[in-house]
Amino acid sequence: MRLRKLALLLAVVGLVCLPAPVYLPALADATSPPPKVSNSYRAETVSLANQSDIETIVNRHGRSVSISVHQVSQRYSAGEYRAPNETRETLEAAMRNGTARTTAAGAQVDLRAIARNNTYVHDAYGEREQYYRLRVRENGSVVTARNATLQRVANSTVERSAYSYVNLSPAARETVDSILRNSSDGDPGYRPRMNDAFVDRLPALVEKEGTRYSITAYTHVDDFGFGAAFVVGLGVAGVGAVLILVGGAVYAIAWWRE
């Protein structure tokens, strides 16, 4: 009788252990901190008085004030524009000739929206990445594009999108400080968690104590492979299988003795 009880106990424990690869990872996800983002970030100082830094500011952060014409297409806009082809052609004509007109109602709506959100226009895939000051007049039917220097684009980028450190929340400051502390030569950068403050604004320009920093992604991390909880679960499941086999053997011995 005792052997049968022991066999039953071993079998029950073994059955509980078998699905461990399923419930242990779920338990770990429920109790562990939020996952980290896929990029690590580093910061470097930039100055509007330095030509190479001006290029860095425009290349990394200029999207806040400028749009590339390749984005105005059905392929890239994901339905954002009413008449992407006509709108793009009008912008390209303005960049070539200085002025362009359109009678397409959809393009006029698109052009007004683009001008509201962007001060400049450029072609990221052109022979040279010249920026143009964008203006839309006459209810969207007339577009003008005048050459603009990188200095002007960089100035506008800083004015519109640079964050002042003193105006950030304490949690956002903590994220920025963590990035700054891990931005020295040889540092791998800082990889924040997905729910950390300020993560949704990265990459970003931040001004702290008179110094301007460009914060951008430094490395990309792919969290592939099995988690530790899953590996442990496999081991527990293996133990469970052994317990079931042993329990079966004990039950057979008990039955044979009777």
Side-chain angles (χ1 to χ4, degrees):
M1 189 66 178
R2 290 181 179 178
L3 288 178
R4 287 191 176 185
K5 288 183 177 180
L6 177 60
L8 179 61
L9 177 62
L10 292 173
V12 170
V13 174
L15 289 173
V16 172
C17 292
L18 276 182
V22 176
Y23 63 73
L24 283 184
L27 181 62
D29 289 341
T31 57
S32 62
K36 293 185 176 182
V37 299
S38 58
N39 292 322
S40 68
Y41 290 89
R42 283 180 58 171
E44 65 175 285
T45 59
V46 290
S47 170
L48 288 172
N50 184 292
Q51 182 60 36
S52 63
D53 288 351
I54 289 173
E55 295 175 2
T56 296
I57 292 171
V58 173
N59 291 336
R60 293 180 179 177
H61 310 283
R63 68 190 181 284
S64 63
V65 297
S66 182
I67 186 172
S68 174
V69 290
H70 84 274
Q71 297 173 260
V72 189
S73 64
Q74 291 180 344
R75 178 179 180 182
Y76 291 98
S77 64
E80 180 180 356
Y81 301 105
R82 297 189 181 187
N85 292 335
E86 293 86 348
T87 302
R88 186 183 68 255
E89 291 170 0
T90 304
L91 289 172
E92 290 173 339
M95 292 165 63
R96 286 194 307 270
N97 306 318
T99 303
R101 291 179 175 272
T102 180
T103 58
Q108 292 174 2
V109 173
D110 292 341
L111 290 166
R112 292 198 301 269
I114 290 172
R116 280 195 302 269
N117 298 318
N118 300 275
T119 306
Y120 303 93
V121 62
H122 66 285
D123 185 358
Y125 295 99
E127 294 182 0
R128 65 189 186 96
E129 198 169 351
Q130 174 65 50
Y131 284 77
Y132 301 86
R133 179 67 169 87
L134 176 66
R135 287 186 173 86
V136 175
R137 298 182 287 109
E138 298 183 20
N139 203 33
S141 61
V142 178
V143 179
T144 59
R146 300 287 185 263
N147 286 349
T149 64
L150 285 182
Q151 179 76 64
R152 286 184 177 274
V153 179
N155 290 343
S156 298
T157 300
V158 170
E159 291 172 4
R160 178 179 294 187
S161 62
Y163 293 94
S164 173
Y165 180 85
V166 297
N167 293 332
L168 297 177
S169 67
R173 292 181 191 177
E174 183 178 348
T175 300
V176 171
D177 287 338
S178 296
I179 295 173
L180 296 182
R181 285 194 298 268
N182 290 273
S183 295
S184 301
D185 291 341
D187 284 334
Y190 178 70
R191 191 179 173 201
R193 297 194 179 278
M194 295 184 67
N195 67 334
D196 284 352
F198 203 71
V199 168
D200 57 335
R201 307 181 203 179
L202 297 175
L205 287 167
V206 176
E207 296 179 350
K208 179 182 179 182
E209 298 175 353
T211 302
R212 186 174 295 113
Y213 297 93
S214 169
I215 300 176
T216 52
Y218 180 64
T219 59
H220 181 79
V221 181
D222 291 318
D223 290 326
F224 294 135
F226 300 111
F230 180 78
V231 175
V232 172
L234 288 177
V236 174
V239 172
V242 172
L243 290 177
I244 292 174
L245 292 175
V246 172
V250 171
Y251 185 86
I253 292 173
W255 178 82
W256 179 76
R257 285 185 176 181
E258 292 179 359

